[in-house]
Amino acid sequence: MANTIHVDIVSAEGQIFSGEASMVFVPGSQGELGIAPRHAPLLTTLKAGEVRVQSDGAEEQSFYVGGGTLEIQPNRVTVLADTAARARDLDEAAAVAAKQRAEDAVRERTDKVEIAEAQAELLRAVAQLRAIERLRKKR
Amino acid sequence: MAGAKEIRGKIVSIKNTQKITKAMEMVAASKMRKAQDRMRAARPYAEKIRKIIGHLRQVNLDYKHPFTLERPVQSVGIVVISTDRGLCGSLNLNLFKAALGAIREAQGKNVKVYLCVIGSKALQFFRRLSGVEIAASVTHLGDKPKSADLIGTSKVMLDFYRDTKVDQLLLVHNVFVNTMTQKGVVSQLLPLQTIDKDELQERWDYIYEPDAAEILDGILMRYIESQIFQGAVENVACEMAARMVAMKSASDNAGKLIDELQLIYNKARQAAITKELSEIVGGAAAV
């Protein structure tokens, strides 16, 4: 038992892997990491890539992660995997789409008062989008 | 034989409806089981994140993330997770009641309300509501919600919180108690409630790459997202359970209705036969 390390790979949608390993390779955001048992505690982010789990007497297993977070404790590795590819721009696009849907739903209303309300809403949403764009430029 | 034919027609049509409700009941029952599995599968992720956040906060007491700070509440963001389709009893109604309670309470305190709706039933309901702004929406997630589909909506709310456009973020969602009971519940997402310290037995001092603040930021965002995702998955299980129960009672009611109509039909038929017989007997006597 002394020379194995417990590995958990979980994503928001479910557990992907759980078991003992003698060596784990993960795509850290600062470079590929090889984790042996009794690794120093470490917390880092992952980029999209392959997590490889090696254990004695078994074939190497590999899992694709779209990024995520890695936590290492001396006897335990936890990979919090993102199932989807994540990037700031992509997230931004998703947020814009969510707003758009809200606007569309509001635009469907027919009463005159409601149209006025909806227009006000639209203006606000446009302003929000502009604010986001400005923020993005700053970054 | 006046009503007999019409009654028979009615019985046939109710029987057809009963077939449909029975089929829907069975479909909902099998989908519910799968949804429950998914609900359970989504749990470890949130637990692991909660543990890591707990560790982080224990060793980094001085670092305050905006997500953990309480601010005076001037506006509130509410995420409502409803179903896309109806025919599931009072599930959505109870949920909206819970949400309306939270909204009214906020408005009573002159707090502005931003809504983020998930599911078309909630969208239909809340877009008629005045005094609230729907900031984001997503519908038609299907029976297997994907976390990727929720990123956009959660991000809108998280950005609002970060830009201090909302000072509190609530989640209104259905909780799956058991097959018969689902509850609409309001829970607070942000600021983060303190995490139990007693579940942490060990202390670690981590090495951080690139740095603690950035990692904490990422993890907290994932945590909130996973909470919303969990809500969406649980909602599917609730929807299926509620639909199963609603369809079962619909089938039962249809059965009762058929029995009653059958009785009326038999009586009508018997009355017609008796009448015919007495006419024949009367006719024979006259001759």
Side-chain angles (χ1 to χ4, degrees), chain A residues 49-131:
Chain A
E50 201 183 17
V51 175
R52 287 179 294 140
V53 179
Q54 287 180 349
S55 49
D56 296 330
E59 240 175 81
E60 181 181 283
Q61 287 175 283
S62 79
F63 307 91
Y64 175 78
V65 293
T69 314
L70 171 80
E71 189 212 24
I72 305 173
Q73 296 169 9
N75 51 9
R76 184 173 275 270
V77 180
T78 310
V79 178
L80 298 166
D82 294 332
T83 38
R86 299 288 296 260
R88 192 165 268 158
D89 290 347
L90 282 179
D91 286 10
E92 198 70 59
V96 171
K99 273 183 190 153
Q100 187 63 44
R101 280 193 297 271
E103 279 168 36
D104 289 349
V106 170
R107 205 178 295 143
E108 277 168 29
R109 303 202 280 196
T110 45
D111 276 12
K112 272 186 185 170
V113 184
E114 286 182 335
I115 285 176
E117 268 175 34
Q119 274 169 348
E121 184 118 329
L122 197 65
L123 283 178
R124 248 173 287 160
V126 169
Q128 281 161 16
L129 276 180
R130 239 178 250 149

Side-chain angles (χ1 to χ4, degrees), chain A residues 71 101 109 124 128, chain B residues 127 133 137 165 206 222:
Chain A
E71 189 212 24
R101 280 193 297 271
R109 303 202 280 196
R124 248 173 287 160
Q128 281 161 16
Chain B
R127 77 171 186 222
E133 185 180 320
S137 76
K165 209 171 161 188
Y206 290 107
R222 292 290 184 279

Side-chain angles (χ1 to χ4, degrees), chain B:
Chain B
M1 229 17 207
K5 197 158 180 277
E6 283 87 358
I7 295 170
R8 222 178 33 207
K10 252 187 202 165
I11 291 177
V12 169
S13 105
I14 292 172
K15 268 189 183 154
N16 285 337
T17 313
Q18 194 187 27
K19 265 181 217 158
I20 295 171
T21 55
K22 259 195 188 141
M24 282 182 83
E25 181 195 331
M26 282 188 281
V27 170
S30 85
K31 277 187 180 171
M32 182 187 78
R33 243 161 271 145
K34 281 181 206 148
Q36 270 179 292
D37 289 343
R38 270 194 292 276
M39 190 174 100
R40 271 190 282 273
R43 253 172 218 159
Y45 185 74
E47 274 165 26
K48 291 268 153 58
I49 290 194
R50 205 174 321 179
K51 264 191 194 149
I52 294 179
I53 296 174
H55 284 149
L56 270 174
R57 293 182 82 179
Q58 211 179 24
V59 291
N60 268 313
L61 293 172
D62 48 330
Y63 177 68
K64 294 273 184 248
H65 191 272
F67 283 0
T68 61
L69 292 178
E70 300 262 350
R71 302 196 285 248
V73 179
Q74 279 162 348
S75 61
V76 59
I78 302 179
V79 181
V80 186
I81 304 175
S82 81
T83 68
D84 275 326
R85 280 172 295 170
L87 288 182
C88 48
S90 57
L91 182 75
N92 284 322
L93 202 69
N94 289 336
L95 182 81
F96 295 158
K97 263 187 206 158
L100 276 179
I103 291 171
R104 295 277 171 261
E105 197 192 317
Q107 284 174 338
K109 283 188 247 160
N110 254 337
V111 170
K112 189 158 173 30
V113 179
Y114 291 94
L115 281 182
C116 164
V117 293
I118 298 170
S120 43
K121 286 284 158 188
L123 186 61
Q124 280 164 20
F125 182 83
F126 285 107
R127 77 171 186 222
R128 303 186 175 280
L129 198 69
S130 60
V132 296
E133 185 180 320
I134 298 179
S137 76
V138 59
T139 56
H140 299 97
L141 292 175
D143 297 332
K144 297 175 201 137
K146 293 211 173 55
S147 55
D149 298 332
L150 292 165
I151 292 170
T153 31
S154 348
K155 185 171 166 57
V156 171
M157 282 333 232
L158 289 172
D159 282 352
F160 274 17
Y161 189 83
R162 215 177 292 226
D163 302 342
T164 65
K165 209 171 161 188
V166 299
D167 303 306
Q168 192 185 29
L169 193 56
L170 301 176
L171 177 67
V172 185
H173 60 124
N174 283 309
V175 172
F176 188 93
V177 182
N178 55 42
T179 317
M180 301 299 289
T181 331
Q182 296 87 33
K183 262 198 318 202
V185 168
V186 183
S187 57
Q188 181 171 325
L189 286 178
L190 288 174
L192 273 184
Q193 245 95 18
T194 41
I195 286 154
D196 294 338
K197 286 240 164 76
D198 38 285
E199 61 181 81
L200 313 164
Q201 317 88 347
E202 291 148 299
R203 281 190 75 115
W204 313 106
D205 206 1
Y206 290 107
I207 304 167
Y208 299 101
E209 272 179 46
D211 68 284
E214 201 166 306
I215 292 171
L216 187 60
D217 193 62
I219 289 183
L220 285 174
M221 257 181 82
R222 292 290 184 279
Y223 180 64
I224 301 300
E225 279 168 10
S226 81
Q227 294 283 294
I228 296 177
F229 175 71
Q230 174 93 45
V233 175
E234 194 159 353
N235 185 59
V236 175
C238 290
E239 176 187 356
M240 292 310 161
R243 178 165 300 134
M244 192 180 90
V245 172
M247 286 303 119
K248 181 161 175 44
S249 74
S251 305
D252 291 352
N253 287 342
K256 262 185 226 157
L257 213 57
I258 290 170
D259 285 350
E260 272 168 36
L261 283 175
Q262 192 72 51
L263 197 66
I264 296 172
Y265 170 74
N266 287 347
K267 275 185 185 160
R269 195 179 63 115
Q270 193 58 53
I273 292 169
T274 315
K275 199 175 126 201
E276 233 167 81
L277 262 180
S278 66
E279 269 165 15
I280 292 168
V281 171
V287 174

Side-chain angles (χ1 to χ4, degrees), chain A residues 33-47:
Chain A
L33 287 166
I35 303 150
R38 276 170 296 173
H39 191 286
L42 170 78
L43 204 56
T44 186
T45 49
L46 300 180
K47 61 184 180 193

